[in-house]
Each structure stands twice: as C-alpha cells, then as structure tokens.
Amino acid sequence: ITGKTIEATDFFACTMGPGSFTGSRIGAATIKGLAIATGKRVVGLSTLEALAANMGVYSANVRPMLDAQKGQVYTALYAIKADAPPEIIGEEVLADLGSLLANLEEDTVFLGSGALKYADLIKKALPGASIAPPYCCYIRAGVVGTLGIGKFQNGEILDAATFTPRYLRLSDAESKTKKFNKSYLCI
C-alpha cells in the first residue's frame, strides 16, 4: 500500500500484553519471525499504554481496561501530558471489577474493551466517570508505531530471539496443569 519495502523498515513495534493469551502469542511470534528473518530490531510496549495514548492530550487521568473475562479486567492508571507518552501511575494489575470500582475515587476516563463491556457498572459505581467513545477503545497500529519510535530512539530494544509476551495471570491450561500437579502424586 505504501510502496515501501521491508528493507526501508528500521524496526518493528508490538504490544507485549497484557491481553489475550492467543493474541499476544501470535503477535510476538509474528514480530519475532519478521525481526529474525530481516535482522531488524524490535521494541515492545504495554497494551494498556497503547490504549491510554489513544486519548491524545487529555486533562483527566485515563484508565484503560481490557476485558480479562471472569469478571476481571487488566488495568492501570495513566496521566496524559503534552508531547510525552502516557505516564503510568502505579502499576498494571489484573483486578476483579467490583473490588476495583469500590476503591476508585479519581476523576478519570475509562477506555478499552473492559470499559465498553462494563460501562453500566462503571457509571453506577462512579457517576462522575466518563467512558471514552468506542473508536478510542481499540489498539491502533499508528499509536503503537508512534510510541515505538520513542522507545526505539531511547534505545529500548528487545532481544528478538528471547522476548516473550507479558501476562498478569496464568492461562486456563496452565492453571489446570498446576492444579493437576498439586493434586496428584504419580509414582
């Protein structure tokens, strides 16, 4: 579409998670394959950071929320400042929605798949909260690229052969295996 070749690419940027296990693995495998095959470098960033950046310059705090199923969300709080990437306040967490909402007091804008899915619950628990419009609630390749440029210029390069997605909980298969291994002793 752009008429550019892969040789014109300086690096690849991708989100590292949190997010869907399958989606994160497919994305990481694709980027690894491209980087190793071409000798290009890789930068990674948080999925939540990429969502927060969708809000542009904004006066309130931004809380991206990804639906983690089971009544849980992946979330973090970000401050948005002019000419700077989103700045995380605290850390990324996997949270039960009810507990999370019961402990929030800040004036914030919620966005992401979790915010869309749980918009009614958010508004009920925090009447002053805002839900971003749907077009701000999904990862944008242009945002990932723009944030990736900053990380690339700062030398935040990943090892293409060894980087892995970042998960905030075990997958269902890993949970079942761990449970099985603790429950039975095989001789």
Side-chain angles (χ1 to χ4, degrees):
I1 296 174
T2 65
K4 302 286 184 184
T5 64
I6 198 126
E7 289 79 23
T9 302
D10 293 320
F11 68 95
F12 296 102
C14 66
T15 58
M16 303 288 296
S20 107
F21 292 100
T22 302
S24 296
R25 287 181 181 133
I26 290 170
T30 301
I31 291 297
K32 282 181 176 216
L34 289 168
I36 291 169
T38 62
K40 303 295 181 177
R41 294 181 278 181
V42 176
V43 297
L45 55 131
S46 164
T47 308
L48 296 172
E49 177 185 7
L51 274 173
N54 282 348
M55 294 306 295
V57 178
Y58 203 76
S59 61
N61 289 330
V62 175
R63 181 170 289 280
M65 298 174 82
L66 292 170
D67 181 20
Q69 304 298 320
K70 303 175 186 177
Q72 297 180 316
V73 292
Y74 301 115
T75 189
L77 183 64
Y78 287 87
I80 309 295
K81 298 176 183 172
D83 300 323
E87 181 183 325
I88 193 166
I89 301 168
E91 61 185 359
E92 295 180 340
V93 296
L94 172 65
D96 290 314
L97 185 65
S99 298
L100 175 72
L101 293 176
N103 292 307
L104 293 182
E105 296 178 16
E106 75 267 6
D107 176 30
T108 190
V109 175
F110 292 80
L111 70 155
S113 61
L116 293 176
K117 181 175 181 177
Y118 299 113
D120 291 340
L121 293 172
I122 293 167
K123 290 296 245 175
K124 185 176 180 182
L126 300 165
S130 299
I131 308 296
Y135 65 85
C136 291
C137 291
Y138 301 98
I139 301 296
R140 296 180 184 166
V143 170
V144 173
T146 300
L147 293 172
I149 289 169
K151 290 186 181 296
F152 182 76
Q153 291 172 338
N154 289 335
E156 298 175 43
I157 309 298
L158 300 174
D159 182 333
T162 62
F163 84 85
T164 59
R166 204 173 67 249
Y167 303 115
L168 297 181
R169 75 167 174 215
L170 295 175
S171 70
D172 287 340
E174 291 167 319
S175 294
K176 289 175 185 173
T177 300
K178 194 172 189 175
K179 189 176 188 179
F180 175 79
N181 289 339
K182 285 184 177 182
S183 300
Y184 302 96
L185 176 61
C186 299
I187 299 176

